[in-house]
Amino acid sequence: MPPMPCFLRSLPLEILTKICQELVDDTASLARLGETCRELNRAVVPVLYREIEDHAPPHRLRAVALVVSLAAYPSRGQYIRAIKFPHPSPAPIDIQSNMYGLYCAAIQYLFGFVAPVPPNQSQLVAILALACLAPNVSRLEIMVSYSWGNTDFLLNKVNNRVTGAKPRCVLPRLTSLVVDLTSPVDCGFNLHRLNGCFYAAPNLTSLAIDRPSGGTSLTARLSHLTTLRLTNALMSHRGLRFLIRGCSNLVSFQFTQNSHAWSKTYLPVSPAQVLACLAPCKATLRKLHLAPYLPSTPLQQRGIPWDRLDTLDEFPLLRQVAVNLDAIRRQNGGQVLARFVWNCTSLEGLFVMGLEAFPTEEFACFARAAAIRPRLAMLKMQLKLELGQIQDGGVYEEFLNDLQRCEQDESSGASTMREMGIQLQTVSGLAVTHPFAED
Amino acid sequence: MATNQSLKLQNTFRPNGRVFEVERSAAEHSAVVRMLLEDFDEPDLLVTIIPISIDTSDDTLAKVFEWATHHKNMPKPALDDDGDRDEVVTIQLASWDDEFFSDIDSETLYGILIATNYLDIKPLYDMAVQVVVNMVRGKSTKQIREILGITSDFTAEEEAAIRKETAWAYDGEEVPNETS
């Protein structure tokens, strides 16, 4: 049977693009479709390059092959918008191959390396070379390994002082950087390794790092940052202060500290110190998610200064707060949380974690304070245990009685609270990744 | 709501287009028709002929409405669900749908893609796209050209350059060295 005339060529670009998008998980087939004729090539290329993701774990040469390809065909780099590399391990490159020679030439052109790249650097170098060859890349997601080196090779240094990013290592459109750590070890990923990357991406607005540590030698300033997520952090006061010191535009800040991984080599930042570090963004901060390290025994007893949160008065624009109850100062008797809510005049959403520590006698007072807040539209309260699992009523029973009493008592503003939708959540841990749905 | 009412739809792209009488529950697979029913007086729509203007044949539209009638009881996605998902979902065709697509030619498949995109019939559109994707997936360039009836308009040098440029996409697979 003679072949039908090609109907694909006549399809609108919108439908052709949809067909190409369905093939992004099979880049080989998509590339072959683009090799068939000019018209289909025009539809395939933007989709093929738009989001570079390493789908095939056994073949980890993709970053290297892409660097070689983009060095030879630089115009393709403009289509890349996002780069996701979930594999930290370097690919075994055959140094006899033609590709290796081309790759080394590209790396030398970009970064000025003259010696072969050390094995622990190779994947990091390949990914950053790829990013530098994609002038429009806006999102970079990388899975790093503890053994990775640092990104200082992106820097121009004069007399050992950093003068900025090297001319070919600027990532002007990069606005979002996500760094995950693959290894389960608890020593974290030292932020200094990203110092060069921070210089190279001066317009970074969103930064998310899992298990960040160190940071005390950071020199880069992240002045455009609006969203900062530090999860399972292993950070001291000084490290956090150095990271945030230039962030005067921060809108959303998440800080959860790994409570079980204090290596005793540093003093974890205290809740009050976190707020002190946030001083540069007093006028802009709207969302705060704070679940810092909380010592089982008060550190003051051991002569270590350790301050909990007192008030959020210094952050007048705060609208959404997720906070571990234990991080709030317990002094002057009860009504702590009530005063906390009372002082946050612009609060729209509150998520209180760790209700086990809630002084039950405070609840009615807190409920009234919350009900009076006209803008507070969402209130979630979190227990660690399932309500059904509570054998010994104790504090839970009293708490639930208080909740019921408060709902029945008209003067407590129960109806308003019901409208706000108090939710008692039961989860196994205190570290909530996204306390607010819109995150 | 009376779901067994019928709507009349006519393709006005060409003169004297056929008037299709489609059960309301079947026609509601089209988000465009559902929006019309929401925005305008329902009694009027039920007696008047709803004009649609799609560059496709009446026979193709008949196939589209045949599919919609067979699946009239299938739940319809919400109007505000634009269906954009990050992940790629491979659609498994049910046996009836498999048979439905097995006896259609390229021209009808083209028409179904155009019509379902215009009428916003998402399930059928997704299935038609999947049928085309299955024609391409795992095939060599030569096979794709044969299946889709494509004549290459690249010179040999251009073709070699494109293969070299997209070598990264093969993830270490040997790039097939074939000619059309």
Side-chain angles (χ1 to χ4, degrees):
Chain A
M1 193 176 75
M4 302 289 292
C6 180
F7 68 92
L8 276 189
R9 285 180 170 191
S10 324
L11 282 174
L13 186 63
E14 181 193 353
I15 301 177
L16 269 183
T17 304
K18 165 80 176 167
I19 291 167
C20 295
Q21 281 168 345
E22 293 295 316
L23 279 166
V24 287
D25 61 332
D26 182 2
T27 48
S29 296
L30 185 56
R32 287 189 194 109
L33 180 64
E35 289 167 17
T36 53
C37 67
R38 283 178 208 282
E39 216 149 334
L40 290 178
N41 189 267
R42 271 196 289 275
V44 164
V45 165
V47 180
L48 185 62
Y49 284 90
R50 185 172 178 81
E51 195 166 286
I52 301 296
E53 190 166 359
D54 198 354
H55 285 293
H59 310 291
R60 292 174 184 167
L61 273 173
R62 179 167 283 194
V64 171
L66 258 165
V67 170
V68 172
S69 172
L70 292 180
Y73 303 93
S75 64
R76 297 304 189 216
Q78 67 178 311
Y79 294 111
I80 300 177
R81 294 291 187 277
I83 297 172
K84 292 181 188 173
F85 271 83
H87 310 298
S89 308
I93 309 174
D94 177 7
I95 57 169
Q96 303 294 330
S97 67
N98 185 33
M99 187 190 280
Y100 182 71
L102 294 168
Y103 174 67
C104 286
I107 295 301
Q108 187 176 352
Y109 167 77
L110 285 169
F111 306 138
F113 289 171
V114 285
V117 180
N120 68 335
Q121 289 274 75
S122 62
Q123 182 76 337
L124 174 67
V125 170
I127 292 170
L128 288 171
L130 182 56
C132 290
L133 289 166
N136 294 325
V137 70
S138 61
R139 186 173 173 82
L140 183 60
E141 284 182 31
I142 47 175
M143 178 74 87
V144 299
S145 155
Y146 173 68
S147 62
W148 274 23
N150 65 41
T151 52
D152 281 354
F153 59 86
L154 297 173
L155 298 177
N156 236 357
K157 284 187 176 179
V158 177
N159 297 331
N160 211 27
R161 290 184 68 85
V162 176
T163 58
K166 283 181 188 169
R168 295 192 185 99
C169 306
V170 182
L171 307 166
R173 302 263 165 96
L174 188 67
T175 54
S176 174
L177 176 64
V178 180
V179 181
D180 276 329
L181 188 62
T182 170
S183 149
V185 292
D186 284 317
C187 37
F189 186 72
N190 194 318
L191 285 174
H192 181 75
R193 296 178 188 198
L194 294 172
N195 200 37
C197 191
F198 291 159
Y199 272 102
N203 297 317
L204 214 55
T205 58
S206 172
L207 176 64
I209 306 177
D210 185 39
R211 276 175 282 168
S213 67
T216 52
S217 53
L218 274 177
T219 56
R221 302 284 200 280
L222 300 164
S223 56
H224 291 93
L225 213 59
T226 56
T227 302
L228 178 59
R229 286 195 179 133
L230 303 168
T231 47
N232 303 311
L234 300 141
M235 296 186 74
S236 64
H237 178 204
R238 188 178 154 91
L240 187 64
R241 184 159 57 86
F242 273 45
L243 176 65
I244 302 181
R245 61 184 159 176
C247 305
S248 53
N249 296 308
L250 215 55
V251 173
S252 173
F253 178 70
Q254 177 180 2
F255 185 83
T256 63
Q257 190 131 3
N258 192 338
S259 303
H260 306 293
W262 183 21
S263 63
K264 309 284 192 292
T265 55
Y266 70 100
L267 181 62
V269 58
S270 75
Q273 285 170 334
V274 173
L275 284 202
C277 291
L278 289 169
C281 45
K282 276 180 189 172
T284 54
L285 198 68
R286 285 180 167 78
K287 285 186 186 179
L288 175 68
H289 175 192
L290 192 56
Y293 170 77
L294 297 162
S296 49
T297 53
L299 292 177
Q300 288 94 330
Q301 289 176 5
R302 289 148 54 184
I304 300 170
W306 185 268
D307 293 323
R308 293 168 195 268
L309 296 183
D310 200 5
T311 172
L312 290 171
D313 287 357
E314 291 180 347
F315 299 88
L317 297 179
L318 265 183
R319 291 187 179 163
Q320 296 190 331
V321 176
V323 66
N324 190 334
L325 192 64
D326 271 339
I328 301 171
R329 189 194 294 273
R330 305 291 179 74
Q331 282 178 356
N332 308 323
Q335 304 175 7
V336 180
L337 197 61
R339 196 162 56 247
F340 195 73
V341 172
W342 183 252
N343 289 336
C344 265
T345 51
S346 56
L347 207 60
E348 291 173 0
L350 177 65
F351 192 126
V352 185
M353 295 174 275
L355 280 187
E356 285 78 4
F358 203 107
T360 51
E361 69 278 8
E362 292 177 13
F363 189 78
C365 183
F366 163 70
R368 280 191 200 98
I372 290 168
R373 284 273 153 259
R375 297 172 73 169
L376 190 62
M378 184 180 73
L379 182 60
K380 287 184 181 178
M381 312 187 87
Q382 182 198 49
L383 291 169
K384 274 196 273 189
L385 300 171
E386 295 289 339
L387 287 176
Q389 289 177 355
I390 301 166
Q391 302 294 326
D392 169 23
V395 68
Y396 296 100
E397 200 171 292
E398 285 177 42
F399 173 78
L400 292 172
N401 286 341
D402 276 348
L403 183 66
Q404 274 177 357
R405 198 165 59 237
C406 185
E407 281 184 337
Q408 287 158 8
D409 181 4
E410 286 302 319
S411 64
S412 70
S415 57
T416 319
M417 285 196 67
R418 221 172 288 125
E419 281 166 25
M420 290 192 299
I422 287 188
Q423 295 178 32
L424 270 172
Q425 292 203 339
T426 53
V427 294
S428 56
L430 284 181
V432 181
T433 315
H434 300 300
F436 298 105
E438 64 269 33
D439 278 355
Chain B
M1 185 176 68
T3 52
N4 53 357
Q5 294 165 324
S6 288
L7 299 175
K8 295 187 186 74
L9 297 120
Q10 184 180 25
N11 189 3
T12 55
F13 191 82
R14 294 185 187 87
N16 304 320
R18 191 171 135 193
V19 176
F20 292 93
E21 200 159 319
V22 187
E23 278 184 62
R24 180 189 169 131
S25 55
E28 279 183 338
H29 270 297
S30 161
V32 172
V33 171
R34 261 192 292 165
M35 274 190 278
L36 279 173
L37 290 170
E38 277 184 15
D39 291 350
F40 294 96
D41 247 1
E42 286 193 23
D44 290 349
L45 283 177
L46 293 172
V47 292
T48 54
I49 295 172
I50 301 171
I52 50 177
S53 178
I54 315 171
D55 182 10
T56 188
S57 68
D58 284 345
D59 289 345
T60 304
L61 270 184
K63 289 294 279 184
V64 171
F65 292 132
E66 179 194 335
W67 179 91
T69 305
H70 185 269
H71 292 283
K72 63 183 178 185
N73 295 325
M74 196 168 106
K76 284 98 186 168
L79 278 180
D80 54 357
D81 181 7
D82 58 8
D84 284 341
R85 302 278 183 272
D86 284 344
E87 70 271 21
V88 176
V89 180
T90 307
I91 296 167
Q92 296 291 332
L93 300 188
S95 60
W96 189 92
D97 297 317
D98 210 12
E99 209 166 298
F100 175 81
F101 279 105
S102 67
D103 63 348
I104 59 170
D105 54 24
S106 301
E107 197 186 341
T108 314
L109 183 57
Y110 169 87
I112 288 175
L113 282 165
I114 299 281
T116 50
N117 187 39
Y118 175 94
L119 290 169
D120 202 357
I121 304 178
K122 204 174 172 320
L124 184 56
Y125 177 62
D126 285 347
M127 273 190 250
V129 166
Q130 203 60 48
V131 168
V132 180
V133 166
N134 291 344
M135 288 176 173
V136 174
R137 197 183 285 275
K139 308 288 194 308
S140 71
T141 311
K142 193 177 174 186
Q143 286 170 324
I144 296 171
R145 283 194 186 126
E146 279 172 7
I147 292 165
L148 298 174
I150 299 169
T151 314
S152 174
D153 49 4
F154 288 125
T155 63
E157 292 78 27
E158 284 174 328
E159 208 166 302
I162 289 175
R163 281 207 188 121
K164 197 174 153 199
E165 177 205 316
T166 54
W168 62 269
Y170 295 97
D171 278 322
E173 283 177 41
E174 201 176 322
V175 181
N177 188 17
E178 57 191 337
T179 55
S180 60

